[in-house]
């Protein structure tokens, strides 16, 4: 497989994961804004910050209100991380590597693009927002299902999964970092109690509310949530889970008789750092500092993966 194909697969699934993550962020922001009252603007601002697009937003809009944020994150083509931009980029990469994909995967990607392009032709109203966000999540799941149900477990599959889990690890760290501090009234309250409804939104934004309740009934709080989203290997969007998959797929690509790739070494080190800590140690160090390091490490890993497999084939 040529390096160009590997890169196309990697970015195709990064963009698909990013589109779903953005939809989940918007749904979470909408939930919190309904109960935030006069502070709803700060919540919409935090959504844009979590998406890593605050500076780009400020260049185009004057206020962090629902209409502006929804339009910017859903359908603004000048925002490369908007849902519409991500779906178009995923399809473009999919066309480039079409011969490496099963018919079912390509058709699922193409259908996602056609459906969402039509739904996002005009600004999305509050009345239609939930339906559009559900459509984004559904189409992302259909592509993932086609991948798992029809693709060989070979290097093509590994590059697809690398794109998914790099993007997912970055998103989970960003959500937990930004939301944790937005939901707290002040830095002095770090580790204290907060309204359960607001903490639930952190879990809902990564589709983890019900699984969290199964394991931690009645114990919704910052440390328990942070432990679940960072350390719990059973949770498919936790940092520990994402890095376990990254290490596994990179091990397959590295091969048993080859020198260890720098990206595999980086992923293994980060996975060990996640596995060798307790949540109390992380809070003592500083949750914000820990998550910023995790975000930085994931960004460096993504760059190293592209560098290591630039001439793969």
């Amino acid at each position: 497989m040529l390096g160009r194909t590997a890169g196309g697969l990697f970015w195709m699934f990064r963009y698909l994961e990013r589109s779903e993550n953005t939809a989940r962020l918007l749904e979470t922001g909408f939930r919190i804004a309904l109960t935030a009252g006069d502070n709803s603007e700060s919540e919409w601002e935090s959504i844009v910050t979590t998406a890593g697009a605050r500076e780009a937003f400020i260049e185009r809009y004057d206020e962090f209100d629902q209409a502006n944020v929804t339009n910017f994150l859903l359908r603004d083509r000048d925002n490369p991380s908007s849902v519409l931009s991500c779906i178009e980029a995923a399809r473009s990469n999919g066309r480039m590597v079409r011969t490496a994909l099963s018919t079912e995967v390509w058709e699922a990607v193409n259908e996602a693009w056609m459906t969402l392009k039509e739904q996002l032709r005009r600004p999305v109203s509050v009345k239609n927002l939930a339906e559009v966000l559900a459509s984004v999540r559904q189409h992302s799941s259909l592509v993932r299902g086609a991948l798992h149900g029809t693709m060989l477990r070979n290097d093509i599959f590994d590059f697809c999964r690398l794109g998914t889990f790099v993007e997912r690890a970055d998103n989970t760290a960003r959500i937990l970092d930004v939301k944790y501090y937005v939901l707290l009234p002040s830095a002095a309250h770090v580790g204290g109690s907060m309204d359960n409804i607001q903490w639930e939104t952190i879990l809902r934004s990564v589709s983890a509310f019900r699984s969290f309740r199964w394991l931690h009934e009645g114990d919704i709080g910052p440390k328990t949530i942070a432990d679940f989203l960072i350390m719990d290997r059973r949770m498919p969007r936790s940092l520990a889970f994402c890095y376990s998959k990254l290490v596994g797929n990179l091990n397959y690509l590295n091969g048993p008789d080859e020198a260890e790739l720098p990206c595999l070494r980086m992923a293994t080190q980060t996975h060990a750092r996640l596995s060798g800590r307790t949540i109390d140690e992380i809070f003592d160090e500083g949750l914000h500092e820990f998550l910023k390091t995790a975000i930085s490490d994931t960004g460096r890993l993504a760059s190293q993966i592209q560098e290591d497999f630039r001439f793969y084939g």
Side-chain angles (χ1 to χ4, degrees):
M1 182 167 52
L2 298 176
R4 183 168 177 264
T5 302
L9 294 165
F10 178 75
W11 276 103
M12 173 185 168
F13 277 84
R14 280 202 73 172
Y15 282 124
L16 284 167
E17 183 72 20
R18 189 176 299 179
S19 69
E20 181 180 355
N21 292 338
T22 299
R24 292 179 184 281
L25 276 175
L26 276 169
E27 183 175 25
T28 303
F30 184 63
R31 286 177 180 273
I32 294 182
L34 289 175
T35 60
D38 295 337
N39 295 321
S40 61
E41 183 171 333
S42 66
E43 173 53 32
W44 289 115
E45 182 177 357
S46 80
I47 295 295
V48 177
T49 302
T50 305
R54 190 176 186 278
E55 292 183 5
F57 181 91
I58 291 174
E59 290 177 2
R60 295 179 56 77
Y61 299 94
D62 296 326
E63 294 183 65
F64 287 95
D65 59 24
Q66 179 186 318
N68 289 342
V69 172
T70 299
N71 191 71
F72 180 70
L73 292 182
L74 275 183
R75 55 187 302 275
D76 193 330
R77 280 190 165 88
D78 290 329
N79 173 18
S81 293
S82 72
V83 168
L84 185 58
S85 295
C86 287
I87 290 296
E88 290 181 339
R91 181 180 182 269
S92 177
N93 279 279
R95 288 185 65 183
M96 183 177 69
V97 299
R98 187 169 176 176
T99 56
L101 301 171
S102 67
T103 300
E104 289 83 356
V105 172
W106 164 248
E107 288 179 348
V109 173
N110 197 45
E111 183 177 342
W113 173 72
M114 290 188 295
T115 301
L116 293 171
K117 186 176 70 167
E118 178 62 27
Q119 289 180 325
L120 299 174
R121 283 179 59 190
R122 53 186 61 87
V124 179
S125 67
V126 175
K127 180 180 178 181
N128 297 327
L129 181 59
E131 178 185 350
V132 172
L133 296 179
S135 179
V136 176
R137 297 195 308 274
Q138 180 183 32
H139 282 290
S140 179
S141 297
L142 288 172
V143 177
R144 245 189 338 265
L147 177 77
H148 279 275
T150 66
M151 294 288 290
L152 292 172
R153 270 37 176 187
N154 57 9
D155 51 356
I156 294 172
F157 182 84
D158 289 325
F159 282 114
C160 294
R161 298 298 279 167
L162 288 176
T164 295
F165 287 112
V166 160
E167 192 67 32
R168 188 176 294 180
D170 178 80
N171 181 72
T172 296
R174 287 179 183 276
I175 286 177
L176 188 54
D177 185 39
V178 175
K179 294 298 177 191
Y180 182 80
Y181 284 92
V182 167
L183 290 178
L184 288 168
S186 72
H189 291 79
V190 172
S193 62
M194 276 291 291
D195 180 65
N196 284 354
I197 294 176
Q198 290 186 318
W199 284 115
E200 287 173 9
T201 62
I202 296 178
L203 296 168
R204 292 184 187 279
S205 66
V206 291
S207 295
F209 177 67
R210 182 161 294 185
S211 56
F212 179 88
R213 292 294 294 269
W214 285 336
L215 297 173
H216 304 283
E217 183 66 38
D219 187 19
I220 295 178
K223 277 194 177 182
T224 315
I225 290 173
D227 182 56
F228 186 61
L229 296 185
I230 294 172
M231 317 288 286
D232 199 314
R233 299 179 190 178
R234 298 165 294 180
M235 196 283 180
R237 291 182 178 271
S238 74
L239 295 183
F241 184 94
C242 290
Y243 267 91
S244 70
K245 296 302 180 183
L246 288 168
V247 170
N249 289 119
L250 287 170
N251 264 313
Y252 286 129
L253 290 168
N254 199 133
D257 301 321
E258 300 176 17
E260 186 180 51
L261 289 166
C263 60
L264 174 56
R265 190 180 312 117
M266 291 172 62
T268 302
Q269 290 171 350
T270 301
H271 185 232
R273 187 168 66 89
L274 290 168
S275 303
R277 308 289 297 279
T278 67
I279 198 62
D280 287 328
E281 290 172 343
I282 290 174
F283 268 69
D284 289 341
E285 170 192 328
L287 181 63
H288 177 66
E289 289 73 18
F290 178 87
L291 292 169
K292 284 296 183 185
T293 300
I295 293 168
S296 175
D297 287 347
T298 303
R300 290 191 302 109
L301 175 61
S303 298
Q304 192 64 53
I305 287 172
Q306 294 177 91
E307 177 64 26
D308 289 348
F309 294 106
R310 184 170 47 166
F311 303 111
Y312 182 81

